[in-house]
């Protein structure tokens, strides 16, 4: 079995350090999701999924705010976290087809960033999502996206 054939490590289970939250860990430690973003926290909230990114020093830009690349990276990974929690769609092999983001306010480098994801529609191959990034009541960004579900191979 080659490295490309190895199953992707996914851990989504209750986090004893954060009651009411699941810890979401995808991929090996040196892969983008974990090396750059780190482990995420998530929980279902009715028809939405809240995905929390605890902010670390390397998420901050020179102005002391959350870097825009981290915002976009969280959306790209978090939309599939939401699809997994809300619809059971396996994230390994899923890809972003379209992502539109509107940066609305600065992200405070001292507070966690929450992505609130809503599934608009699911088809055989695609999932349509939208959401917002917030810090408490402060709106940082909004997004809409289309993801392609993983292809099942025999």
């Amino acid at each position: 079995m080659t490295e490309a054939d190895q199953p992707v490590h996914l851990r989504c289970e209750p986090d004893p350090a954060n009651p009411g939250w699941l810890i979401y860990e995808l991929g090996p430690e040196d892969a983008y999701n974990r090396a750059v973003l780190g482990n995420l926290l998530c929980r279902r909230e009715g028809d939405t999924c809240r995905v929390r990114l605890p902010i670390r020093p390397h998420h901050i830009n020179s102005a002391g705010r959350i870097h825009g690349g981290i915002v976009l990276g969280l959306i790209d990974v978090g939309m599939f976290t939401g699809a997994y929690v809300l619809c059971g769609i396996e994230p390994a092999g899923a890809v972003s087809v379209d992502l539109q983001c509107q940066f609305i306010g600065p992200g405070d480098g001292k507070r966690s960033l929450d992505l609130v994801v809503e599934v608009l529609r699911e088809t055989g191959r695609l999932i349509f999502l939208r959401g917002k990034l917030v810090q408490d009541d402060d709106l940082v960004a909004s997004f809409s996206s289309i993801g392609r579900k993983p292809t099942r191979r025999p």
Side-chain angles (χ1 to χ4, degrees):
M1 184 180 284
T2 67
E3 187 175 325
D5 296 327
Q6 296 285 332
V8 173
H9 173 72
L10 168 66
R11 182 168 72 113
C12 188
E13 58 191 38
D15 183 7
N18 295 287
W21 290 87
L22 301 170
I23 188 165
Y24 185 86
E25 176 184 285
L26 178 61
E29 289 183 16
D30 58 350
Y32 173 84
N33 294 356
R34 288 182 58 200
V36 175
L37 295 176
N39 292 334
L40 303 174
L41 298 171
C42 61
R43 69 180 178 205
R44 186 180 191 119
E45 296 180 346
D47 292 336
T48 67
C49 176
R50 183 175 297 263
V51 181
R52 177 163 290 168
L53 173 67
I55 298 302
R56 299 187 302 179
H58 69 269
H59 295 151
I60 307 303
N61 65 21
S62 60
R65 303 294 187 174
I66 298 171
H67 192 282
I70 295 298
V71 169
L72 291 169
L74 177 58
I75 293 170
D76 189 50
V77 173
M79 66 187 236
F80 291 110
T81 306
Y84 177 74
V85 170
L86 297 170
C87 303
I89 295 171
E90 180 65 36
V95 296
S96 300
V97 174
D98 182 62
L99 173 58
Q100 297 178 28
C101 177
Q102 298 77 43
F103 293 94
I104 297 169
D108 180 352
K110 296 184 172 113
R111 294 187 285 163
S112 293
L113 183 61
D114 287 357
L115 177 78
V116 181
V117 182
E118 174 186 10
V119 174
L120 299 175
R121 183 168 184 228
E122 181 182 355
T123 68
R125 300 292 301 262
L126 301 174
I127 186 159
F128 298 79
L129 307 116
R130 72 175 168 196
K132 60 186 178 179
L133 286 91
V134 296
Q135 292 181 304
D136 303 312
D137 292 330
D138 297 327
L139 185 59
V140 175
S142 65
F143 77 93
S144 62
S145 63
I146 302 170
R148 183 171 179 206
K149 298 178 194 178
T151 302
R152 301 282 181 229
R153 299 188 194 262

